[in-house]
C-alpha cells in the first residue's frame, strides 16, 4: 500500500487538534484541502478514521490505533530533524524518558541537575507513571528509555541495569510515637490506618505479595496515585505507610515522623534503567543514557 507520507502528517494535526480548521491553520493549508486529503487517506486505508459531529471531530477506534503509531513516528522525525539541523552535535536534541516517582526522587533529579550543567542545550521531557505504565510506554516506542523501580515484569526485548538499591521503612506521624517502642507483627498493622499506592502500581503488588507470604491480607485504608503524596499524609497523621528510608530520614531527624519497627524484613528494592534493545537511540538520548549509567558505575548516586 503506497500512501503519501504527507497524508499522515496532515492526519497527525487533525487528530491532535480534533478540528480541521485548526489543523489547516497549523499546516498553512486550507480547510477544503485538509478535508479532501483525509477522505483520500480513509479511502486508501479502507476504514473510517474520524467521526464528524457538530462540535468537531473525534477519532474512531481504528483512528486511535493509527494515531498511536503516527504520533510516535512524527515525534521521532522532529527530534531527528532537530539534531541534524544542529549538525548532529551531542549537545543538542530532545530526550523523552519515563520515570516512576520514587526513581525520580531517589536518583534521577540529582543526576539531571549535573547533566543539565554539562549539556544545557539538550531538552529533557519526563513522563511520570507507575512502573507497569512506564514499561508499556517504553515498549510502544513513546520513550527513549526509562528509570523505574522494582518489582517489574519486562518483555525479552527490554534491557535493564541496576542503578542503586534502596530500603523502605514503615513510618507514622508523631501521634504514633507510642507504637514504635516494640517491634510490630504484620498482623498488628491492621489496627492502624494504612496509606499506600493503589492497584496497578508495582509497589502495591510488592506489598500485597509480602503480606500474603506472612498470611496477612493487605489493603490500604487510603490509596494515593503517586508516592510523593505518601509522606505529607503520613506526617499529618492520616496513617502509617512504607516509604524509602532515604526520603524519610530528614523528617525523622526533625522528629516529624517516627519509625515503626517490624519483626519481618521488608523486601529490598532497586532503581533500574531500562531500554528497548530493538530500537536505536538518538544522539541526545544516547548521551543521557550513557551519562546515567556512568554515574551509577562511579557510585555517584
Amino acid at each position: 500500500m503506497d500512501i503519501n507520507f504527507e497524508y499522515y502528517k496532515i492526519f497527525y494535526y487533525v487528530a491532535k487538534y480534533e478540528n480541521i480548521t485548526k489543523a489547516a491553520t497549523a499546516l498553512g493549508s486550507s480547510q477544503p484541502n485538509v478535508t479532501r486529503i483525509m477522505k483520500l487517506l480513509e479511502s486508501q486505508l479502507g476504514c473510517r478514521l474520524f467521526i464528524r459531529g457538530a462540535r468537531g471531530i473525534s477519532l474512531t477506534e481504528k483512528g486511535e490505533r493509527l494515531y498511536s503509531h503516527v504520533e510516535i513516528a512524527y515525534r521521532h522525525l522532529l527530534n531527528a530533524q532537530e539534531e541534524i539541523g544542529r549538525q548532529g552535535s551531542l549537545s543538542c536534541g530532545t530526550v523523552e524518558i519515563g520515570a516512576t516517582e520514587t526513581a525520580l526522587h531517589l536518583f534521577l533529579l540529582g543526576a539531571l541537575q549535573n547533566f543539565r550543567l554539562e549539556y544545557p542545550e539538550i531538552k529533557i521531557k519526563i513522563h511520570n507513571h507507575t512502573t507497569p505504565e512506564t514499561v508499556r510506554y517504553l515498549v510502544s516506542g513513546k520513550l527513549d528509555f526509562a528509570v523505574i523501580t522494582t518489582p517489574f515484569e519486562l518483555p525479552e526485548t527490554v534491557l535493564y541495569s541496576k542503578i542503586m538499591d534502596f530500603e523502605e521503612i514503615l513510618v507514622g506521624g508523631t501521634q504514633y510515637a507510642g507504637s514504635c517502642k516494640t517491634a510490630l507483627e504484620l498482623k498488628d498493622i491492621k489496627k492502624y490506618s494504612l496509606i499506600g499506592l493503589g492497584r496497578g502500581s508495582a509497589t502495591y503488588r510488592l506489598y500485597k505479595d509480602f503480606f500474603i507470604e506472612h498470611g496477612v491480607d493487605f489493603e490500604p485504608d487510603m490509596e494515593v496515585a503517586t508516592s510523593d503524596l505518601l509522606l505529607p499524609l503520613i506526617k499529618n497523621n492520616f496513617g502509617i505507610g512504607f516509604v524509602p528510608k532515604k526520603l524519610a530520614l530528614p523528617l525523622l531527624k526533625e522528629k516529624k515522623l517516627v519509625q515503626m519497627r517490624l519483626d519481618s524484613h521488608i523486601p529490598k528494592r532497586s532503581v533500574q534503567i531500562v531500554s528497548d534493545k530493538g530500537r536505536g537511540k538518538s544522539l541526545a538520548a544516547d548521551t543521557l543514557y550513557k551519562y546515567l549509567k556512568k554515574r551509577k558505575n562511579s557510585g555517584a548516586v
Side-chain angles (χ1 to χ4, degrees):
M1 187 183 298
D2 188 14
I3 297 178
N4 191 328
F5 281 132
E6 186 70 15
Y7 291 5
Y8 290 120
K9 176 182 177 180
I10 295 171
F11 166 79
Y12 168 79
Y13 278 95
V14 174
K16 178 181 178 181
Y17 290 112
E18 295 185 332
N19 184 289
I20 289 178
T21 302
K22 290 181 180 179
T25 301
L27 290 161
S29 184
S30 65
Q31 183 177 339
N33 187 52
V34 171
T35 300
R36 178 180 63 83
I37 290 175
M38 287 303 91
K39 287 182 178 178
L40 279 172
L41 182 59
E42 288 181 325
S43 175
Q44 291 185 22
L45 290 173
C47 65
R48 290 189 67 186
L49 300 173
F50 299 101
I51 299 172
R52 296 161 179 83
R55 296 185 178 181
I57 59 175
S58 58
L59 290 168
T60 62
E61 184 179 342
K62 291 185 177 179
E64 290 277 7
R65 194 179 309 164
L66 178 62
Y67 182 68
S68 69
H69 293 285
V70 171
E71 181 191 21
I72 295 168
Y74 192 68
R75 187 171 62 246
H76 285 323
L77 286 171
L78 289 179
N79 289 344
Q81 178 180 290
E82 181 181 1
E83 285 188 5
I84 293 170
R86 295 193 185 189
Q87 301 178 343
S89 170
L90 288 175
S91 62
C92 66
T94 301
V95 188
E96 305 219 18
I97 60 178
T100 61
E101 200 78 41
T102 301
L104 188 67
H105 290 290
L106 287 179
F107 170 73
L108 198 55
L109 285 178
L112 290 180
Q113 280 185 328
N114 293 323
F115 181 82
R116 291 284 290 166
L117 292 174
E118 193 169 341
Y119 301 95
E121 293 186 23
I122 289 183
K123 298 177 183 176
I124 301 170
K125 295 182 180 179
I126 300 175
H127 302 265
N128 179 221
H129 302 285
T130 65
T131 293
E133 288 172 328
T134 301
V135 172
R136 284 197 295 271
Y137 282 119
L138 175 68
V139 173
S140 71
K142 293 184 178 181
L143 303 172
D144 291 304
F145 61 89
V147 183
I148 59 177
T149 47
T150 56
F152 49 63
E153 293 182 8
L154 298 176
E156 294 182 358
T157 57
V158 174
L159 293 170
Y160 60 94
S161 176
K162 185 166 71 174
I163 294 291
M164 62 180 288
D165 291 312
F166 68 94
E167 177 186 354
E168 292 195 312
I169 58 175
L170 181 64
V171 295
T174 53
Q175 78 172 35
Y176 296 95
S179 303
C180 65
K181 295 178 180 178
T182 57
L184 298 173
E185 295 182 29
L186 281 183
K187 64 181 182 180
D188 294 330
I189 293 180
K190 300 289 287 183
K191 302 174 184 176
Y192 304 94
S193 177
L194 184 63
I195 304 173
L197 289 175
R199 296 172 185 271
S201 68
T203 301
Y204 175 91
R205 188 69 257 169
L206 172 77
Y207 282 105
K208 185 76 172 177
D209 292 342
F210 173 56
F211 274 66
I212 288 173
E213 285 174 10
H214 290 80
V216 182
D217 188 32
F218 171 82
E219 284 300 332
D221 299 284
M222 182 179 292
E223 294 185 10
V224 296
T226 59
S227 59
D228 65 328
L229 296 174
L230 287 171
L231 280 173
L233 289 170
I234 295 170
K235 185 182 72 171
N236 285 281
N237 294 306
F238 281 91
I240 62 175
F242 296 94
V243 298
K245 185 176 181 178
K246 183 178 178 180
L247 300 182
L249 277 177
L251 292 173
L252 288 169
K253 288 179 180 178
E254 294 172 11
K255 297 186 177 179
K256 293 180 179 178
L257 287 180
V258 295
Q259 182 175 351
M260 306 177 74
R261 292 183 293 124
L262 285 174
D263 67 350
S264 304
H265 292 292
I266 299 172
K268 288 206 170 180
R269 306 181 67 183
S270 63
V271 174
Q272 308 246 355
I273 186 168
V274 297
S275 63
D276 192 333
K277 60 185 177 184
R279 182 161 39 89
K281 300 180 186 67
S282 67
L283 289 172
D286 194 51
T287 300
L288 177 55
Y289 181 79
K290 289 178 178 177
Y291 178 90
L292 295 178
K293 293 197 72 174
K294 182 180 177 181
R295 185 178 174 89
K296 173 207 73 169
N297 293 332
S298 69
V301 295

